[in-house]
Amino acid sequence: MDRIPVKKAESLKKKPLDSELSFGTIFTDHMFVMDYNNGGWQNPRIEPYQPLALDPSTMVLHYGQAIFEGIKAYRRSSGKIGIFRPKAYISRLNRSAERLCIPLVDEELFYEALIKLINLEKDWVPGSKETSLYIRPFIIATDPYLGVRPSNTHKFMIILSPVGAYYPEGFKPVKIYVTDKYVRAVRGGLGHVKTPGNYAASLMAAEEAKKAGYTQVLWLDGCERKYIEEVGTMNIFFVINDEVITPALEGSILGGITRESVLHATRNWGLKVSERPISIDEVYEASRKGTLQEIFGTGTAAVISPVSELKWNDKIIIPGDGRVGKISQRLYDYISGVQYGLLPDDFGWVTEL
Ligand code: PMP
């Protein structure tokens, strides 16, 4: 018997034009669902996309015991569909599960569910340049109970959303606001996993940054408010004196899959690459001396986001000559080229359906 039965939607939605796509507003016709109860994950299935009915006392609504992932599938130049590094995201979900006292998911079953759902929804994968299908797996705690303890029941779901080009007119560098007023996470906390509370914790600083005319926040470490951590939904890299530098993973920042891909590619290209503590003072000093060549963010959404300015209290830090840096451009061209099947997949990153 098929271990992931499919119940098809009675009517299919009208698909949007690629030009109408933005981020995370449109969802496909079907979703994957699986329930945890009686000590095991049960009843994996694909169903029509539909609202959930939850008891108002459902634990996740009160105490935030939940985790998620963000993966992308692409329409490749051949017309086939490719998923970027699915197994890396799947194992990160399980690392998050462990930290949030959520029972681990069978990674083979998760992979099978992902492939089956995307195959069923393949007509939803947009084909225009730089569009993609965003994949959102998540798990929520579902006991109807108001005491604080790990839930005994959970729901695992995968939903899909076609998304538009991140850079319709080419790279658009972002301006980032450095906060030392708020912190996002501390070592020993939840910063290294994908759990909703981290994003709730980030909202206030993001609102303040927006008011000041900046699109994102760069977080400093929670103890000294000195060492650089990461951006809202991106890891951050600096190029100083031809050294590619990103903060090491020490428990308070997310180990991004794009970060890891960038480290792998730049090391392979023979660049000098360091994962090490880097303070905001070091970045500021490098900009004063003229050795700060590039700053860029890395994440699944935009792949590479060149940074044109950091605002740190009354100081403004501007890398390079104000144009997109060479390494930023090369990384974007390389990774997105591999994703869309325009360049050889040297490191076996893409699973083609
Ligand atoms: N940091 C945070 C806090 C994020 O939410 C993300 C997006 N997942 C990243 C970094 C980048 O990670 P990835 O490259 O895996 O998307």
Side-chain angles (χ1 to χ4, degrees), residues 109-336:
L109 179 62
F110 183 171
Y111 184 73
E112 192 181 321
L114 188 65
I115 303 288
K116 188 159 186 173
L117 181 64
I118 294 173
N119 265 323
L120 178 68
E121 302 289 64
K122 60 181 183 301
D123 294 344
W124 280 93
V125 183
S128 303
K129 198 164 176 267
E130 295 181 17
T131 58
S132 57
L133 185 74
Y134 185 77
I135 303 161
R136 169 53 59 87
F138 64 103
I139 303 181
I140 55 171
T142 50
D143 280 6
Y145 176 60
L146 289 187
V148 178
R149 57 148 173 79
S151 182
N152 293 318
T153 63
H154 299 269
K155 206 176 256 304
F156 174 91
M157 307 182 68
I158 307 174
I159 57 174
L160 306 176
S161 174
V163 300
Y166 210 90
Y167 298 114
E169 286 108 36
F171 256 167
K172 194 164 166 280
V174 292
K175 287 167 59 183
I176 293 185
Y177 188 86
V178 183
T179 182
D180 52 16
K181 180 171 163 197
Y182 302 104
V183 298
R184 172 185 177 274
V186 291
R187 284 187 209 174
L190 299 176
H192 61 303
V193 296
K194 272 185 93 69
T195 189
N198 287 335
Y199 301 83
S202 75
L203 297 176
M204 191 165 217
E207 286 298 293
E208 285 191 15
K210 220 195 287 170
K211 271 193 212 126
Y214 292 79
T215 45
Q216 311 226 24
V217 171
L218 177 66
W219 300 99
L220 301 179
D221 74 283
C223 298
E224 296 180 68
R225 305 195 186 184
K226 177 178 166 189
Y227 292 99
I228 287 168
E229 298 236 305
E230 63 180 327
V231 185
T233 56
M234 295 191 293
N235 294 107
I236 188 101
F237 283 74
F238 301 87
V239 183
I240 299 177
N241 260 338
D242 295 327
E243 179 189 8
V244 179
I245 308 162
T246 194
L249 301 179
E250 288 175 345
S252 55
I253 67 176
L254 189 75
I257 309 302
T258 320
R259 174 188 181 279
E260 194 185 274
S261 310
V262 162
L263 290 171
H264 198 78
T266 47
R267 284 183 175 133
N268 199 266
W269 295 341
L271 303 181
K272 180 171 183 218
V273 180
S274 310
E275 294 172 78
R276 63 163 172 87
I278 175 166
S279 68
I280 187 70
D281 308 85
E282 179 181 345
V283 173
Y284 178 65
E285 279 310 311
S287 77
R288 280 179 18 118
K289 283 195 244 148
T291 54
L292 175 65
Q293 296 152 296
E294 302 185 33
I295 309 177
F296 56 91
T298 66
T300 299
V303 186
I304 303 293
S305 263
V307 176
S308 57
E309 177 185 325
L310 292 183
K311 179 174 166 57
W312 174 41
N313 296 321
D314 57 352
K315 299 186 177 74
I316 300 283
I317 300 172
I318 295 183
D321 58 6
R323 284 181 302 186
V324 172
K326 277 201 201 101
I327 295 176
S328 312
Q329 186 73 54
R330 183 174 178 198
L331 281 166
Y332 179 76
D333 292 344
Y334 178 67
I335 298 175
S336 66

